[in-house]
């Protein structure tokens, strides 16, 4: 999010080392950096052992996921300087080795958190956990403005699903599939995509998987066409040759690549077999069963994930990887238009030129990051940020981790993806941290265990009140987070600029705060998320996508005694836009996946029953009535297909409807 | 496929090493295995059910059923089968381990820990203990983690690194007696304990009035690489508790340590204003050492200055062959004598070590000659200065003048004005000086220690 601030209003949040060696040559510079956060560098490192005592520990900030434990170690000797205060202070007994230090400080100008007080890591079980509460820490320093939110749309948690096309041609192994030599992509279509028309999914092809020279067959493309035919499917690209190590290609040399390939092929160097060889073996089986001319030069199909990319026969070509693969995937689609989403492959760490190429090709980008937050990874440190800056470009991260993370890099157990449900739950409560994302690969359909676990997660998604969108829309929403600009217009009033596809603003700690609809522009409605555990109430405000620069005004009183003089959206599965209303009638465009569940708050003076109509073009698709409760709640479900937008009219004035 | 191959296949399929001896007959189970290999899991399942009808309560049955469910991706029934397997073979460690693995994968952490505990009760194992302890810590169950650590250490399956973890947990809990026990245990592992923990152990012993044990342990640490620093810190601890006699006695025990160690030990006494004790300790040490090492000579000279007793150094060194004296020690001694006794002091050196010292220190030589109204030799002294630094006469002259002036006000002022006190590697002040407590740390906190942090980005 961009904000306009005077230089003097900048806050300094220092985590870890202050940018240099505090006991050596950098002491002066490090001290200067620390002073910006009102922390004085007293001396270099001091040893604090078990005889040291913690003499100050702010319970709101410290011991968040795990407790601070003094280790026998060196800490820089620092001291909070007024107006900053210490939140964690150690003191060694007086005498020969008396020493003290503030490991966490907070103040109006910033915060400092020593690395030892930020996160604790236990190598025996590979568990890291936050010591300091980052939410409380940031809220103490930063002004409470509405925050652009990428987890929520129209009051509901965003849902999206993405498939990376790895293992497209693998022969699946289970009953009813292995015997017919069905490839994984077909099994995926049959079991994970077609049965879920209400859940959008973005399927990203690896272009080379379709090529005969890499073992592709007419069957490979045929499955792709069948998948892309489905309306809930978004066509995407998972690149052409599937780079594993993106930085290798930033300054590409074919000679180096071939040398590396030779090194890997050297038996003396050993092999690290992962899912790629499995795919190749499956491919060979497919070819033999389909009687396709093999023609696969195995020297150019990576048998090792340490190769720079999966398909190496031709020199790397960035145009082919990005715009070429987008066009190739799109050519198999309904209208032949290039795909609009690229899902990064391999280490998912693309260099700036690659991200730029995707943007210039008109595609959103996604992958990398992820989230794991469960009993084995019991910390938010594995919940990755929204995206990553690479040069002048922005890479958007996936919201959840894929099955590789849950199956020990596809070594099993193959039902491991079931554990995603814990992360899905823990990134929703007590605070919503991430969208609900089901992210898997085609090879998940190769084994019954993995296929069932993905299906179980899809079933879980069906049970929840979500706002499903395709993955490219999520990526656009996330991009909007970085471009959005909140311009203050007065006390508790902001104009929102350059938000792109982002449609939700979140107000934390929102008890006693409401939306002033009279002073707001382009606000569809709001939904309150009650306080839970130690997390305060939050307010999710839905903006109208049809309004370029909406204005949000907050009121001091959360629950006005009387209903607003307008329709207020509480939540909706479909995307709502272009809300127009007169008195007790409203009209808007809507689109989405599955049945159109939505809840509005009707204006004061509305009838006890409303007439709800949905049209597309001149055709009325549905007409039904909906009850309006005493508190104005109007709940309705539109059982029609709205992947293509429909126009919905709500008439709460109609005598006939009453 | 024979029975042995089938067993191997199941193990490979499950990804878990289940070392249950399975006596396999060429029966439905084998047919099931073939069906599994061919991708016909339905047939495999049917054969397993037939197998079960023969002996549905045996561990072999549950093991095979578990593998079928694992293969089929039925995690719930897999859990049931593994639970039944563990129940049917309660004495079998591998069965408990297999159940634990599954429960971990299902994120049923507490149940998984319980299974590991059962396995540990049967056969204590280092990795299993560490896993339990790590998970308990992640769950915030610190006391339980500490108990398991103590248990594992008692059983001999956990090592010094684990003892260090125990110290960390108990240090935070404030349970002094348990902490003391953990530190004692850790002290038995000299490669791991590190100086700070030993200082803490000593501190706790002194605080608990266990002076004899504290002294014994401190003396046993003298041979360590950090023996001098440790002893100095321990002496400081005793002084902090006003145990002057014990502090001096402990300091006297360091006669075998070199001059650098003496700097720390005597420095600790001096810092606590126990000057008399410091002098006695220094005298004891200098009498016991042959002082042939230049470092010892320098230490003696510097400490004698700090203790306002330069004659102590002189007395100790005057019997030495002047040629064997360290140059900087001799020069420093000459400076001290000059500052304390003026030219009389320097004259006292003449004929023995002064000749050499004076020749190497043109300022003193010049002053000496000028005092005798012999300017020519004085000029010769200055001209003959061998090294540029010593020839920086203006600086030296200023220092000598200021020092001389200060001498009238008492030697400490002059000393401080003229000679910067030696950089005493005070314990805990700098990363370089302190014992590297990070050197033998496990990689579990990579980059967080002071010394290591400087070497990493």
């Amino acid at each position: 999010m961009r904000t306009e601030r005077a230089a003097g209003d900048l806050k300094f949040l220092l985590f870890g080392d202050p940018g240099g060696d505090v006991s050596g040559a950098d002491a002066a510079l490090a001290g200067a950096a620390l002073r910006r956060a009102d922390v004085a560098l007293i001396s270099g490192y001091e040893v604090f052992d078990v005889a040291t005592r913690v003499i100050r520990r702010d319970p709101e900030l410290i011991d968040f996921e795990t407790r601070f434990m003094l280790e026998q170690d060196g800490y820089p000797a620092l001291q909070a300087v007024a107006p900053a205060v210490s939140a964690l202070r150690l003191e060694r007994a007086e005498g020969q080795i008396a020493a003290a230090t503030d490991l966490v400080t907070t103040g109006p100008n910033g915060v400092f958190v020593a690395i030892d007080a930020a996160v604790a890591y236990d190598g025996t079980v590979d568990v890291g956990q936050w010591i300091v509460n980052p939410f409380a820490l940031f809220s103490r320093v930063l002004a409470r403005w509405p925050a652009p939110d990428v987890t929520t749309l129209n009051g509901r948690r965003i849902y999206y699903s993405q498939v990376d096309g790895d293992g497209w041609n693998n022969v699946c192994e289970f009953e009813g599939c292995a015997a017919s030599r069905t490839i994984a992509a077909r099994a995926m279509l049959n079991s994970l995509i077609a049965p879920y028309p209400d859940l959008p999914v973005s399927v990203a092809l690896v272009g080379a998987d379709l090529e005969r020279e890499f073992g592709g067959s007419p069957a490979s493309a045929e499955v792709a066409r069948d998948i892309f035919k489905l309306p809930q499917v978004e066509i995407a690209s998972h690149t052409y040759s599937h780079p594993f190590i993106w930085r290798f290609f930033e300054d590409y040399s074919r000679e180096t690549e071939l040398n590396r390939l030779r090194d890997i092929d050297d038996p003396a160097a050993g092999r690290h077999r992962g899912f790629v060889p499995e795919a190749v073996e499956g491919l060979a089986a497919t070819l033999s069963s389909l009687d396709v001319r093999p023609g696969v030069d195995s020297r150019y199909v990576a048998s090792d994930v340490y190769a720079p990319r999966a398909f190496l026969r031709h020199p790397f070509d960035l145009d082919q990887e990005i715009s070429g693969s987008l066009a190739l995937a799109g050519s198999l689609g309904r209208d032949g238009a290039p795909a609009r989403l690229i899902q990064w492959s391999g280490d998912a760490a693309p260099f700036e030129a690659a991200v730029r190429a995707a943007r210039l090709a008109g595609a959103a980008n996604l992958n990398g990051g992820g989230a794991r937050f469960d009993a084995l990874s019991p910390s938010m440190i594995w919940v990755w940020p929204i995206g990553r800056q690479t040069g002048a470009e922005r890479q958007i991260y996936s919201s959840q981790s894929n099955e590789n993370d849950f199956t020990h890099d596809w070594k099993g157990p193959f039902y491991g993806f079931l554990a995603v449900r814990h992360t899905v739950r823990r990134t929703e409560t007590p605070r919503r941290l991430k969208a609900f994302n089901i992210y898997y690969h085609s090879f998940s359909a190769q084994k019954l265990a993995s296929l069932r676990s993905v299906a179980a997660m899809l079933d879980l998604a069906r049970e929840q009140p979500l706002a499903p969108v395709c993955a490219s829309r999520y990526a656009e929403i996330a991009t909007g987070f970085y471009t959005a600009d909140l311009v203050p217009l007065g006390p508790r009033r902001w104009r929102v600029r350059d938000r792109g596809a982002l449609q939700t603003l979140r107000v934390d700690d929102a008890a006693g705060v409401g939306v002033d609809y009279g002073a707001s522009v382009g606000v569809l409605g709001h939904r309150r998320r009650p306080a839970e555990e130690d997390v305060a109430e939050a307010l999710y405000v839905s903006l109208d996508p049809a309004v370029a620069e909406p204005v949000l005004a907050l009121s001091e009183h959360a629950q006005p005694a009387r209903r607003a003089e307008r329709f207020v959206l509480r939540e909706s599965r479909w995307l709502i836009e272009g809300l127009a209303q007169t008195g007790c009638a409203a009209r808007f465009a809507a689109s989405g996946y599955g049945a159109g569940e939505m809840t509005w708050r009707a204006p004061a003076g509305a009838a006890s029953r409303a007439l709800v109509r949905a049209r597309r073009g001149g055709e009325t698709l549905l007409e039904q009535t909906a009850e309006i409760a005493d508190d104005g709640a109007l709940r309705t479900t539109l059982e029609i297909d709205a992947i293509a937008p429909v126009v919905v009219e709500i008439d709460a004035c109609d005598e006939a409807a009453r | 496929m024979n029975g042995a191959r089938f067993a191997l296949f199941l193990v490979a399929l499950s990804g878990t090493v289940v070392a249950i001896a399975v006596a396999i007959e060429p029966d439905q189970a084998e047919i099931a295995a073939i069906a599994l290999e061919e991708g016909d899991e339905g047939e495999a399942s049917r054969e397993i059910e037939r197998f079960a009808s023969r002996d549905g309560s045996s561990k072999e049955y549950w093991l095979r059923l578990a593998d079928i469910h694992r293969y089929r991706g039925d995690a719930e029934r897999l859990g049931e089968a593994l639970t039944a397997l563990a129940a049917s073979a309660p004495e079998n460690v591998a069965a408990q381990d297999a159940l634990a693995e599954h429960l971990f994968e299902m994120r049923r952490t507490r149940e998984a820990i319980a299974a590991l505990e059962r396995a540990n009760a049967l056969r204590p194992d280092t990795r299993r203990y560490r896993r339990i302890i790590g998970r308990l810590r992640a769950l915030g169950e610190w006391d339980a983690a500490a108990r398991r650590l103590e248990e594992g250490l008692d059983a001999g399956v956990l090592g010094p690194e684990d003892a260090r973890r125990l110290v960390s947990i108990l240090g935070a809990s404030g349970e002094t007696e348990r902490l003391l026990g953990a530190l004692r245990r850790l002290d038995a592992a000299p490669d791991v304990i590190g100086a700070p923990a030993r200082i803490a152990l000593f501190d706790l012993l002194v605080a608990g009035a266990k002076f004899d044990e504290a002294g014994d342990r401190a003396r046993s640490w003298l041979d360590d690489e950090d023996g001098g620093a440790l002893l100095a810190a321990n002496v400081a601890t005793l002084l902090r508790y006003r145990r002057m006699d014990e502090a001096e006695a402990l300091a006297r025990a360091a006669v075998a340590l070199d001059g650098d160690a003496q700097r720390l030990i005597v420095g600790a006494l001096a810092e606590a204003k126990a000057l008399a004790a410091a002098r006695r300790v220094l005298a004891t040490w200098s009498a016991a050492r042959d002082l042939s090492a230049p470092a010892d000579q320098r230490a003696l000279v510097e400490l004698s200055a700090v203790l306002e007793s330069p004659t102590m150094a002189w007395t100790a060194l005057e019997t030495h062959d002047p040629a064997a004296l360290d140059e900087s020690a001799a020069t420093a001694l000459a400076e001290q004598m000059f500052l304390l006794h003026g030219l009389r002091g320097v004259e006292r050196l003449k004929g023995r070590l002064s000749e050499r010292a004076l020749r190497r220190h043109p300022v003193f030589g010049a002053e000496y000659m000028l005092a005798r109204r012999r300017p020519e030799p004085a000029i010769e002294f200055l001209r003959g200065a061998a090294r540029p630094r010593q020839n920086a006469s203006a600086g030296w002259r200023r220092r000598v003048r200021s020092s001389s002036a200060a001498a009238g006000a008492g030697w400490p002022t002059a000393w401080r004005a003229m000679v910067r006190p030696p950089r005493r590697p005070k314990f805990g002040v700098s990363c370089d000086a302190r014992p590297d407590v990070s050197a033998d740390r496990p990689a579990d906190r990579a980059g967080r220690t002071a010394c290591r942090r400087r070497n990493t980005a």
Side-chain angles (χ1 to χ4, degrees):
Chain A
M1 183 182 78
R2 292 189 293 125
T3 56
E4 291 171 13
R5 286 175 184 275
D9 197 27
L10 281 176
K11 311 290 184 181
F12 284 80
L13 294 95
L14 283 81
F15 274 69
D17 282 332
D21 175 8
V22 298
S23 65
D26 303 328
L29 282 173
L34 287 162
R35 276 197 298 278
R36 303 300 294 266
D38 295 322
V39 179
L41 175 60
I42 306 301
S43 69
Y45 291 97
E46 298 280 356
V47 168
F48 291 86
D49 56 33
V50 289
T52 304
R53 294 287 170 262
V54 178
I55 60 165
R56 191 172 301 146
R57 187 191 291 258
D58 185 333
E60 278 186 20
L61 288 182
I62 310 300
D63 301 343
F64 177 50
E65 290 179 337
T66 189
R67 72 181 182 185
F68 172 76
M69 293 222 310
L70 195 68
E71 299 280 353
Q72 304 158 34
D73 214 333
Y75 301 95
L78 306 168
Q79 191 170 37
V81 178
V85 294
S86 171
L88 181 64
R89 184 172 177 80
L90 311 184
E91 193 170 275
R92 186 77 171 84
E94 287 182 9
Q96 162 86 355
I97 48 177
T101 190
D102 291 324
L103 295 185
V104 180
T105 70
T106 65
N109 297 317
V111 301
F112 169 73
V113 182
I115 190 69
D116 310 275
V119 169
Y121 181 68
D122 184 346
T124 55
V125 284
D126 189 26
V127 166
Q129 291 175 297
W130 280 100
I131 295 167
V132 72
N133 182 339
F135 300 101
L137 197 73
F138 279 62
S139 69
R140 280 202 189 175
V141 179
L142 301 178
R144 298 209 170 170
W145 284 19
D149 186 280
V150 305
T151 67
T152 304
L153 186 61
N154 292 340
R156 287 186 169 206
R157 188 181 194 186
I158 290 175
Y159 167 88
Y160 68 99
S161 177
Q162 72 207 95
V163 180
D164 290 348
D166 310 55
W168 190 266
N169 295 310
N170 288 10
V171 176
C172 58
E173 300 168 358
F174 46 89
E175 186 182 23
C177 188
S180 61
R181 317 302 289 179
T182 305
I183 62 172
R186 176 68 66 186
M188 177 174 74
L189 166 62
N190 293 341
S191 302
L192 302 177
I193 298 178
Y196 298 91
D198 50 334
L199 296 177
V201 58
S202 301
V203 179
L205 271 182
V206 179
D209 267 334
L210 306 183
E211 306 282 2
R212 286 179 72 89
E213 63 179 329
F214 295 120
S217 72
S220 314
E222 184 187 323
V223 177
R225 283 194 194 89
D226 290 346
I227 290 174
F228 294 160
K229 210 182 286 176
L230 297 175
Q232 74 270 31
V233 173
E234 176 183 46
I235 305 170
S237 162
H238 193 43
T239 74
Y240 180 80
S241 67
H242 198 291
F244 289 124
I245 306 162
W246 278 90
R247 67 176 179 279
F248 182 87
F249 299 100
E250 186 166 17
D251 186 18
Y252 176 67
S253 155
R254 177 64 168 170
E255 188 185 350
T256 309
E257 184 176 44
L258 292 176
N259 287 339
R260 187 155 179 166
L261 191 60
R262 272 190 289 275
D263 291 344
I264 290 169
D265 280 344
D266 179 2
R271 283 170 181 247
H272 307 272
R273 293 174 65 82
F275 57 81
V276 174
E278 244 180 280
V280 175
E281 285 160 11
L283 188 64
T286 309
L287 292 170
S288 62
S289 67
L290 297 176
D291 195 26
V292 175
R293 180 182 64 83
V296 182
D297 188 337
S298 62
R299 284 180 302 156
Y300 296 108
V301 179
S303 60
D304 193 305
V305 292
Y306 294 95
R309 54 194 171 125
F311 301 100
L312 309 96
R313 189 181 184 89
H314 306 293
F316 177 82
D317 176 355
L318 187 58
D319 286 341
Q320 186 186 35
E321 295 298 334
I322 308 295
S323 55
S325 69
L326 289 165
L328 177 62
S331 70
L332 302 170
R334 295 177 287 274
D335 57 7
R340 290 187 56 250
L341 175 67
I342 188 136
Q343 296 175 194
W344 301 113
S345 59
D347 62 6
F351 47 91
E352 181 183 10
V355 183
R356 186 188 309 120
R359 181 171 55 77
L360 295 177
N365 78 88
L366 189 65
N367 273 7
R372 269 191 72 175
F373 188 14
D374 54 33
L376 293 194
S377 306
S379 171
M380 287 174 215
I381 67 170
W382 281 283
V383 179
W384 285 60
I386 297 166
R388 173 180 82 104
Q389 186 80 32
T390 169
E393 302 294 331
R394 181 72 66 175
Q395 175 190 354
I396 301 300
Y397 283 148
S398 301
S399 305
Q400 305 279 346
S401 296
N402 64 45
E403 78 278 58
N404 275 329
D405 272 3
F406 294 90
T407 58
H408 303 284
D409 286 331
W410 201 238
K411 295 185 192 72
F414 297 107
Y415 58 77
F417 198 56
L418 285 171
V420 171
R421 60 189 165 190
H422 301 292
T423 299
V424 165
R425 176 174 51 79
R426 293 179 76 168
T427 51
E428 168 69 4
T429 58
R431 53 171 69 80
R432 186 174 292 162
L433 296 171
K434 286 287 180 187
F436 186 154
N437 171 213
I438 297 180
Y439 173 18
Y440 59 99
H441 295 78
S442 304
F443 56 68
S444 260
Q446 179 186 344
K447 296 177 186 294
L448 195 59
S450 47
L451 182 137
R452 283 184 173 173
S453 62
V454 175
M457 293 306 98
L458 292 166
D459 292 338
L460 177 69
R462 272 189 165 164
E463 294 167 6
Q464 299 193 8
L466 300 167
V469 298
C470 58
S472 68
R473 179 175 286 273
Y474 169 75
E476 287 162 359
I477 288 170
T479 303
F481 172 86
Y482 295 104
T483 59
D485 194 359
L486 269 69
V487 182
L489 301 177
R492 297 183 299 279
R493 192 158 180 260
W494 298 267
R495 183 183 301 284
V496 189
R497 287 184 181 152
D498 300 330
R499 75 188 192 283
L502 186 136
Q503 307 301 351
T504 300
L505 296 179
R506 188 189 71 247
V507 181
D508 292 326
D509 200 3
V513 176
V515 176
D516 180 351
Y517 286 97
S520 297
V521 178
V523 174
L524 291 173
H526 68 271
R527 185 174 194 182
R528 232 165 246 293
R529 185 183 169 92
E532 193 171 351
E533 296 177 18
D534 60 342
V535 180
E537 182 176 314
L539 187 71
Y540 290 86
V541 179
S542 301
L543 304 177
D544 190 336
V547 178
E549 292 192 357
V551 173
L552 171 64
L554 297 177
S555 61
E556 286 186 38
H557 304 291
Q559 299 288 349
R562 57 187 179 81
R563 277 151 54 179
E565 297 298 322
R566 46 162 289 160
F567 279 91
V568 172
L569 178 66
R570 186 165 181 268
E571 48 89 16
S572 167
R573 183 178 176 93
W574 290 352
L575 179 69
I576 307 290
E577 78 178 292
L579 175 65
Q581 49 185 319
T582 51
C584 46
R587 186 173 188 272
F588 52 87
S591 60
Y593 300 86
E597 302 154 356
M598 59 184 76
T599 304
W600 295 82
R601 197 172 195 215
S608 60
R609 186 178 293 178
L611 182 65
V612 182
R613 279 193 209 92
R615 305 170 195 263
R616 185 181 290 122
E619 182 189 2
T620 298
L621 303 174
L622 174 144
E623 190 170 290
Q624 63 190 28
T625 56
E627 300 292 331
I628 298 176
D630 291 342
D631 64 353
L634 186 163
R635 291 184 184 83
T636 188
T637 301
L638 284 66
E639 300 276 3
I640 54 172
D641 176 3
I643 294 176
V646 297
V647 173
V648 179
E649 295 166 350
I650 301 176
D651 183 353
C653 321
D654 190 334
E655 285 299 322
R658 290 180 192 175
Chain B
M1 176 187 280
N2 59 30
R5 276 189 62 204
F6 178 67
L8 284 172
F9 170 68
L10 287 180
V11 168
L13 187 70
S14 67
T16 308
V17 179
V18 181
I20 295 176
V22 182
I24 296 178
E25 298 170 21
D27 52 17
Q28 290 92 345
E30 191 160 324
I31 300 169
I34 294 166
L36 279 174
E37 282 191 332
E38 291 179 347
D40 188 349
E41 58 97 24
E43 173 67 11
S45 221
R46 283 190 290 278
E47 292 303 325
I48 285 287
E49 295 297 338
R50 280 184 210 147
F51 176 75
S53 68
R54 283 177 18 170
D55 184 5
S57 62
S58 74
K59 57 178 181 279
E60 289 81 6
Y61 164 74
W62 290 115
L63 173 62
R64 289 169 185 175
L65 201 60
D67 277 305
I68 291 292
H69 292 317
R70 190 192 309 279
Y71 179 76
R72 297 170 69 190
D74 191 336
E76 296 302 324
R77 293 190 68 192
L78 168 61
E80 291 168 12
L82 287 173
T83 304
L85 172 65
S88 69
E91 78 295 345
N92 193 295
V93 174
Q96 305 295 344
D97 278 339
L99 175 60
E101 285 304 322
H102 170 75
L103 293 169
F104 273 126
E105 293 298 339
M106 300 301 289
R107 275 50 174 179
R108 291 157 62 180
T109 309
R110 287 179 196 281
E111 294 167 76
I113 290 173
L116 288 182
E117 302 266 29
R118 288 194 294 273
N120 249 359
L122 293 165
R123 191 175 66 212
D125 172 81
T126 305
R127 186 174 168 273
R128 205 180 290 122
Y129 257 116
R130 287 181 176 162
R131 209 156 173 215
I132 292 170
I133 291 157
R135 290 293 158 202
L136 288 171
R137 286 177 58 164
L139 289 168
E141 296 185 11
W142 301 94
D143 190 51
R147 279 202 305 275
R148 295 299 177 285
L149 278 163
E150 288 169 329
E151 198 179 289
L153 288 164
D154 286 341
V157 294
L158 294 181
E161 284 301 338
D162 305 288
R164 172 180 278 174
R165 290 196 177 86
L166 179 60
V167 167
S168 292
I169 294 175
L170 295 177
S173 74
E175 292 185 62
T176 310
E177 278 307 312
R178 284 176 78 190
L179 175 60
L180 201 49
L183 285 166
R184 282 181 178 128
R185 207 179 331 238
L186 192 56
D187 191 31
D191 293 341
V192 172
I193 179 166
R198 279 185 161 156
I199 293 169
L201 171 56
F202 188 88
D203 197 317
L204 286 172
L205 289 169
V206 172
K210 298 177 176 69
F211 301 113
D212 290 344
E213 184 186 347
D216 290 346
R217 285 187 185 273
R219 285 180 183 87
S220 74
W221 300 332
L222 284 175
D223 294 336
D224 282 12
E225 192 182 344
D226 304 318
L230 259 174
L231 193 78
N234 294 333
V235 166
T237 300
L238 287 164
L239 293 169
R240 202 164 62 240
Y241 285 92
R242 308 284 179 233
R243 307 296 301 189
M244 310 303 281
D245 293 344
E246 284 87 350
E248 185 177 342
L250 184 59
R252 282 171 184 267
V255 288
L257 299 180
D258 64 12
D260 288 339
Q262 287 303 315
R263 278 198 180 93
L264 299 173
I265 296 162
V266 175
L269 289 163
E271 204 161 280
K273 313 291 185 209
L275 294 180
R279 286 191 195 105
R280 286 194 294 272
V281 168
L282 187 63
T284 305
W285 174 75
S286 62
R289 290 289 274 196
D290 69 2
L291 297 176
S292 59
D296 285 356
Q297 294 171 12
R298 287 195 294 271
L300 175 60
V301 172
E302 288 165 13
L303 287 171
S304 65
V306 170
L307 299 175
E308 304 178 17
S309 302
T311 47
M312 183 189 295
W314 165 248
T315 307
L317 294 173
E318 69 176 341
T319 56
H320 274 65
D321 174 7
L325 281 182
D326 175 69
E327 178 186 328
S328 65
T331 304
L333 189 56
E335 287 177 358
Q336 287 177 40
M337 296 297 278
F338 173 72
L339 289 169
L340 201 60
H341 303 295
L343 287 174
R344 283 188 298 109
V346 180
E347 191 171 9
R348 192 174 165 186
L349 302 177
K350 190 172 181 297
R352 283 183 280 191
L353 62 111
S354 64
E355 188 70 25
R356 186 163 175 264
L358 293 177
R359 282 193 181 283
R360 295 185 182 202
H361 203 309
V363 174
F364 291 132
E367 292 273 4
Y368 180 74
M369 293 304 168
L370 285 170
R372 272 147 193 77
R373 300 183 182 178
R374 295 174 62 194
E376 295 298 325
I379 292 168
E380 282 302 309
F381 264 115
L382 292 172
R383 282 184 179 159
R387 288 175 297 178
R389 187 179 68 80
Q390 289 180 330
N391 203 24
S393 55
W396 273 97
R397 282 178 194 283
R398 270 201 300 275
R399 289 182 67 184
V400 170
R401 272 200 297 275
S402 65
S403 301
S404 303
W411 83 266
T413 311
W415 173 253
R416 289 192 188 102
M418 181 165 168
V419 182
R420 192 178 177 190
R423 186 181 174 225
R424 188 167 54 80
K426 184 175 161 184
F427 209 58
V429 166
S430 79
C431 184
D432 295 327
R434 72 182 173 82
D436 184 4
V437 295
S438 69
D440 50 3
R441 295 182 66 85
D444 61 354
R445 300 173 70 225
R448 77 179 296 283
T449 63
C451 293
R452 190 176 299 165
R453 185 178 298 135
R454 292 197 298 190
N455 295 328
T456 56

